[in-house]
Amino acid sequence: MLSSKASDRAKSAPAAMAGRLVALCKAVAEPLRLEVMQVLSNDTFGVQELARIFDMPQPGMSHHLKILARAELVQTRRQGNSIFYRRALLRGDDELSNFLASLYNTVETLPLSDDVRARIGVVHGERAEQSRAFFARNAGKFSENQAQLCELDHYLPNLRELLDMMELPPASTVLEVGPGAGELLRELARRFDHVIALDNSEEMLNLTRRSIGGAQREHVSFVNASLEDYDGQEGSLDAVVLNMVLHHLPSPRQAFYRIRELLRRGGRLLIADLGPHDQEWVRESCGDVWLGFDPQELRDWALGAGFSEPQTLYLGLKNGFQIQIQSFRASHEAAFHSSKGR
């Protein structure tokens, strides 16, 4: 027989679920908040950025975000002194998970206005320009700046181990985004016949060119473009490598979708990056846009974009930063996910 306290809890559970359902429905009973949810399904934005995207005063945007947060429809992520918002992740143990999944799917089918899409593009462009301008000014200090975070030698053996596990044939076509001083690019050029060095900074790409010589250079093509604007054929790549680059990209989540488009089915994605940290100085000293990533966040983005089979290695702290290396297989069809294409 149930105790009185257990009985009260059993009676209150349905009431709590009903109350939460009412709060969810109230939160989305506003066209603007539905649009905010849609935008946050694609990306992570600060309140000032969202106010610009929706062309409204910041206090008004903060009000709408508070309503969505109280309904547990958005989550916050602290980046140093700034707070960014993203749509809340679905949890399998959530009693309302089926309702939320249906809501999310329905919201994603709604068309975004051309004005909103254009303003998102402006915000992304400003983030990308911030990174490009930094490297244009500091290309000559790249190795020095990289040493403040973690030198490649510290984790190159682990990257080699995962490259071996991929079992890609020598005839593979491999893209490295942001190859920097070319240390890892030389390793890729020794392994594969077709290697593409992609960088949106002409100054950094010139640094990369100078670092590659001899027989290795015959295997490398140099492309001055961003990942978003790279005009490679869909399904043309066997692997993509991002080594300490994701935290410089304007939209890390959308990068997964773009990479999945470029990879053939069964292709591989290899990422080395920082774990989450609060060292705000790296924005100014190293040009970082993001202060590292939670490993589960990367896995969620990858799985949502059509990847599977995550393999993860964690390295101990180096200069106060934890290094994570993750590898994924493009085993599903590329997900349709582009703010430009909506």
Side-chain angles (χ1 to χ4, degrees):
M1 189 171 180
L2 289 176
S3 66
S4 59
K5 289 185 177 180
S7 177
D8 289 343
R9 284 196 299 271
K11 292 178 181 178
S12 65
M17 187 188 303
R20 184 174 167 222
L21 183 58
V22 169
L24 286 169
C25 291
K26 286 182 177 179
V28 297
E30 156 63 51
L32 175 66
R33 289 197 287 272
L34 285 176
E35 277 197 294
V36 171
M37 281 188 61
Q38 186 179 9
V39 167
L40 293 180
S41 72
N42 298 338
D43 212 332
T44 302
F45 291 102
V47 62
Q48 291 182 344
E49 291 176 329
L50 287 168
R52 291 175 57 201
I53 288 170
F54 289 98
D55 193 23
M56 66 181 302
Q58 182 177 328
M61 179 54 64
S62 296
H63 169 72
H64 288 295
L65 289 170
K66 286 179 182 178
I67 292 174
L68 292 171
R70 282 199 298 266
E72 300 179 23
L73 289 169
V74 299
Q75 296 173 327
T76 59
R77 173 186 178 186
R78 179 167 289 279
Q79 286 278 308
N81 298 324
S82 303
I83 295 177
F84 285 80
Y85 290 83
R86 70 178 184 188
R87 193 179 68 181
L89 300 174
L90 290 174
R91 303 194 316 271
D93 60 348
D94 191 328
E95 293 175 319
L96 294 177
S97 60
N98 289 336
F99 173 82
L100 287 170
S102 179
L103 174 64
Y104 285 6
N105 290 335
T106 301
V107 167
E108 289 180 1
T109 65
L110 300 176
L112 278 177
S113 72
D114 291 341
D115 288 343
V116 168
R117 286 205 305 268
R119 288 191 285 264
I120 290 173
V122 170
V123 171
H124 284 167
E126 290 174 350
R127 292 178 181 175
E129 177 58 23
Q130 171 190 338
S131 179
R132 191 204 64 76
F134 174 86
F135 285 106
R137 295 191 307 268
N138 296 277
K141 300 179 181 178
F142 176 80
S143 297
E144 177 185 340
N145 290 337
Q146 189 66 27
Q148 296 183 67
L149 303 178
C150 184
E151 301 92 336
L152 178 63
D153 289 346
H154 182 66
Y155 57 93
L156 181 58
N158 305 94
L159 288 175
R160 285 174 173 152
E161 179 182 352
L162 284 178
L163 285 169
D164 290 339
M165 293 172 63
M166 290 180 183
E167 298 182 337
L168 294 172
S172 298
T173 299
V174 177
L175 170 72
E176 183 180 3
V177 181
E183 297 100 324
L184 183 56
L185 191 69
R186 290 193 292 272
E187 175 75 24
L188 297 174
R190 283 194 291 269
R191 290 171 176 262
F192 306 112
D193 295 340
H194 310 285
V195 180
I196 302 167
L198 180 72
D199 205 304
N200 71 337
S201 167
E202 185 176 356
E203 292 81 4
M204 287 301 300
L205 202 61
N206 287 335
L207 173 68
T208 308
R209 284 192 184 97
R210 292 193 294 270
S211 72
I212 304 296
Q216 294 174 7
R217 192 179 183 91
E218 298 176 2
H219 299 288
V220 182
S221 300
F222 301 90
V223 179
N224 182 202
S226 66
L227 177 62
E228 296 79 12
D229 295 330
Y230 175 58
D231 61 358
Q233 182 180 353
E234 293 187 6
S236 62
L237 301 178
D238 297 292
V240 174
V241 178
L242 287 81
N243 175 37
M244 295 298 163
V245 167
L246 198 63
H247 57 255
H248 293 296
L249 298 185
S251 178
R253 182 175 185 177
Q254 288 196 15
F256 281 87
Y257 289 87
R258 178 58 183 143
I259 291 168
R260 179 60 192 90
E261 290 173 349
L262 293 169
L263 284 171
R264 64 169 175 80
R265 188 180 180 93
R268 297 294 190 136
L269 169 60
L270 178 61
I271 296 175
D273 216 291
L274 303 174
H277 64 87
D278 59 2
Q279 301 196 47
E280 185 77 19
W281 61 267
V282 300
R283 295 187 191 274
E284 183 66 27
S285 297
C286 302
D288 292 16
V289 178
W290 307 100
L291 302 184
F293 303 97
D294 184 283
Q296 185 60 49
E297 188 172 39
L298 297 188
R299 286 194 288 271
D300 289 338
W301 289 343
L303 295 176
F307 292 91
S308 67
E309 296 185 25
Q311 295 177 313
T312 305
L313 294 173
Y314 301 96
L315 284 74
L317 290 177
K318 177 70 173 180
N319 295 339
F321 299 96
Q322 185 178 44
I323 310 301
Q324 57 176 311
I325 303 175
Q326 299 211 46
S327 173
F328 304 93
R329 180 192 292 273
S331 58
H332 305 299
E333 294 301 322
F336 177 73
H337 182 101
S338 170
S339 60
K340 294 179 182 179
R342 286 224 180 132

